[in-house]
Amino acid sequence: MSPYSFDHKHILLTGASAGLGSALVKLLERVDRRMGSLRDKLNAKKSLKNRPWRLFQVESAIACNLKCLMCPWREIAKKATAQGLMTAEIWEAIRPYLSQVQSVDFTGGGEPLLQPRLVEWIADATKAGCETGFLSNGLLLKTEKLKKILDAGIHWICISMDGATAEMYNKIRVGSNFDRVCENVANIARLRAGNIPKTMINFVLMDINSHQMEEIVQLAARLGVDQLNFKQCDVIRGREGKGFGLFASEENTEIRGLQKSLKKARRLAKKLNVETTAFAFTPQELAVCDQDPRDSLYIRYDGTVAPCINLALGGQTTFLGNEVDMPSVHYGKLPEDDLMDLWETESCQFYRRRFAERFQTHENLIVRNLFESGGSGREKILQSAREAMPDPPKGCNVCHYLYNI
């Protein structure tokens, strides 16, 4: 499946230069921002065009060494089998398919550095030509461990840091140590070869720490971090993670203040040569979320294969302030089932097909209406494209990820 069968940006810019006007160019830029990650995926596919899967997200561990304030998985991890660690047998069921996947992310609901075979598995995936990376709390990333991970060929490392000072960080990341994590993060830039692995920090925005947006930018720059991701506290299971999110159904005074602060922090980051990403504060329905089940699989520590982490671990959750149930959607389980067989199950094909339909409907309607309107009525065009899409699958319709928050 290739949603980009032609270069829309080139066609639209050509049309603008022929007299459609600057409004069309502005709308194009807005559409591009919303679809930028999908174009990035296409670029990756061009370089690895013979690999049908874009991503395997492999939960190497659901076990964790911290008790973070907002963690939605803590109670689930307490009930985990095999000490919450993926077994070698499950990895062996994945390994034959590494040559067919572009990227392997070893992150799930826990701490990847607790997985004793992590270095070995990174090396397996890297040797198979995959891009590799993981998100960690960073506490266990000591020098010797880091050197082994670098030698294994890791491409990116992201560290969760939700406070720019020791007092704030240690209050949120209970059981961690701010100074030690800062040292571990700085060591990545010091020990890496060139710009690989790319280093990132995830900063989860909450009431308690939102005033530190500029401070975390400054810290990232001091530690030699390449990118800072401003995240929403958007995953909730039962009471875990509930009440920390700063987003809302509609824009209000508080949201406008947060948007202003975030914009200021991102301007500072640009000056300090730190890339940034951020989610919205109000819902903006996407055709497909970044997880994108059309060409990816989520594989739990116990071998359960699902469209994504949210659908892998269902339960009571909160969606834009409303109490709802997140279903569990499982294609099957490794090593009992074969990964390719699971890819062809009715459930998997449904998710792949539905999001392909949503994306194509959304894209085609925008392109058609752009030309018909000459670029005017931008909000109306975007809204009509959203309304024309088929409904998202159950579960996705109550997932903040699909609404860019």
Side-chain angles (χ1 to χ4, degrees), residues 42-207:
L42 175 64
N43 291 334
K45 288 179 182 177
K46 283 181 177 177
S47 62
L48 293 167
K49 60 183 178 181
N50 294 324
R51 298 191 175 207
W53 285 299
R54 173 183 54 86
L55 171 69
F56 283 174
Q57 186 171 355
V58 177
E59 185 179 59
S60 51
I62 196 172
C64 191
N65 55 329
L66 303 185
K67 297 179 180 179
C68 299
L69 202 62
M70 63 296 188
C71 179
W73 313 122
R74 190 160 50 235
E75 292 303 314
I76 294 172
K78 287 179 182 179
K79 302 172 185 177
T81 59
Q83 299 179 306
L85 303 175
M86 179 174 282
T87 65
E89 290 75 19
I90 295 170
W91 177 252
E92 286 303 313
I94 299 169
R95 197 155 65 92
Y97 293 101
L98 292 176
S99 62
Q100 299 180 57
V101 63
Q102 298 168 19
S103 179
V104 180
D105 178 356
F106 289 95
T107 312
E111 173 50 55
L113 292 174
L114 289 175
Q115 172 54 250
R117 294 178 177 265
L118 181 64
V119 172
E120 174 190 337
W121 294 354
I122 291 171
D124 285 345
T126 302
K127 288 174 184 175
C130 308
E131 180 186 71
T132 55
F134 61 87
L135 169 66
S136 167
N137 59 51
L139 185 64
L140 302 177
L141 197 61
K142 298 179 181 179
T143 302
E144 290 307 310
K145 170 71 78 174
L146 173 60
K147 286 179 178 178
K148 292 177 181 178
I149 289 171
L150 296 179
D151 289 343
I154 197 78
H155 292 86
W156 60 268
I157 298 175
C158 188
I159 305 298
S160 295
M161 296 189 72
D162 313 304
T165 60
E167 181 182 8
M168 180 60 66
Y169 173 87
N170 293 334
K171 187 183 296 184
I172 296 172
R173 295 274 161 182
V174 179
S176 192
N177 182 294
F178 177 77
D179 293 331
R180 187 182 305 165
V181 171
C182 285
E183 181 182 351
N184 292 346
V185 173
N187 279 340
I188 303 174
R190 182 174 64 86
L191 296 174
R192 67 182 177 178
N195 296 321
I196 299 176
K198 182 175 185 176
T199 57
M200 294 175 276
I201 285 177
N202 271 6
F203 185 84
V204 177
L205 286 166
M206 297 173 281
D207 271 335

